């Protein structure tokens, strides 16, 4: 069975909710899922995954979530060849228009550098997931599974 692993960092609960939506959608496609909060994830979390998903917010003016800093530092040293990945970002473009979801873009770059294959472009969500975002996440999940 295909194994998808999701790491998420959430301050307000928006990204946690997004990760739950992703988990539910993957399960509906008969994918085994392991979802873990960033503070509990070890650097080798994705080693036995077929699909790697990271959901993050961007803090303040382009800062990574504190809980993901170590994971961010270790990711370029991982060998994720043969794995499919996708990144979802949550942010606030009204408060931080110049820094909207830049943490997600940074993780997208690092997954690629670690040898993983992008299954879908980064999905950027304004704060919490609305109905149209859930449809975008459904497309995101389908693309990851079909990659």
């Amino acid at each position: 069975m295909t194994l998808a692993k999701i790491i998420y960092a959430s301050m307000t609960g928006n990204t946690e909710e997004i990760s739950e939506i992703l988990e539910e959608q993957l399960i509906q496609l008969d994918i085994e899922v392991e979802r873990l909060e960033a503070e509990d994830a070890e650097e080798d979390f994705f080693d036995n995954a077929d699909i790697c998903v990271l959901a993050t917010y961007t803090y303040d003016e382009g800062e990574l979530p504190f809980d993901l800093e170590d994971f961010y530092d270790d990711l370029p040293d991982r060998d994720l060849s043969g794995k499919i990945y996708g990144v979802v970002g949550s942010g606030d473009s009204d408060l931080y228009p110049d820094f909207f979801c830049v943490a997600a873009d940074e993780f997208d770059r690092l997954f690629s550098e670690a040898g993983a294959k992008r299954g879908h472009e980064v999905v950027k969500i304004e704060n919490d997931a609305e109905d149209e975002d859930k449809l975008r996440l459904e497309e995101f999940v389908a693309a990851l599974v079909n990659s």
Side-chain angles (χ1 to χ4, degrees):
M1 178 177 253
T2 302
L3 173 62
K5 290 192 171 188
I6 303 169
I7 291 179
Y8 71 93
S10 191
M11 180 184 289
T12 62
N14 292 339
T15 313
E16 181 176 12
E17 178 189 0
I18 290 166
S19 74
E20 291 169 352
I21 292 167
L22 294 169
E23 179 180 32
E24 289 169 12
Q25 292 176 347
L26 285 160
I27 289 170
Q28 288 176 2
L29 296 174
D30 292 325
I31 304 297
E32 183 181 349
V33 181
E34 186 176 333
R35 185 174 62 89
L36 195 61
E37 194 167 5
E39 67 186 22
D40 298 325
E42 299 293 328
E43 65 183 39
D44 63 351
F45 180 70
F46 288 127
D47 284 2
N48 67 337
D50 301 298
I51 300 172
C52 309
V53 179
L54 188 133
T56 184
Y57 63 93
T58 300
Y59 182 71
D60 202 27
E61 294 184 353
E63 299 295 321
L64 294 173
F66 176 75
D67 295 349
L68 282 171
E69 287 177 350
D70 289 340
F71 191 80
Y72 177 87
D73 291 340
D74 293 333
L75 189 55
D77 298 328
R78 306 303 306 167
D79 180 7
L80 299 179
S81 302
K83 299 181 186 309
I84 303 299
Y85 81 91
V87 180
V88 177
S90 173
D92 189 328
S93 65
D94 289 333
L95 288 177
Y96 303 104
D98 295 336
F99 304 101
F100 182 65
C101 294
V102 297
D105 291 331
E106 280 298 303
F107 277 105
D108 179 60
R109 180 181 60 80
L110 290 182
F111 272 105
S112 182
E113 288 177 10
K117 177 186 170 196
R118 180 187 298 131
H120 192 280
E121 74 256 4
V122 174
V123 173
K124 297 179 180 182
I125 295 175
E126 185 76 34
N127 297 310
D128 60 337
E130 303 290 333
D131 287 340
E132 65 272 7
D133 297 315
K134 291 177 184 176
L135 292 174
R136 291 173 49 220
L137 292 172
E138 192 173 306
E139 292 171 7
F140 172 83
V141 165
L144 295 179
V145 171
N146 292 325
S147 291

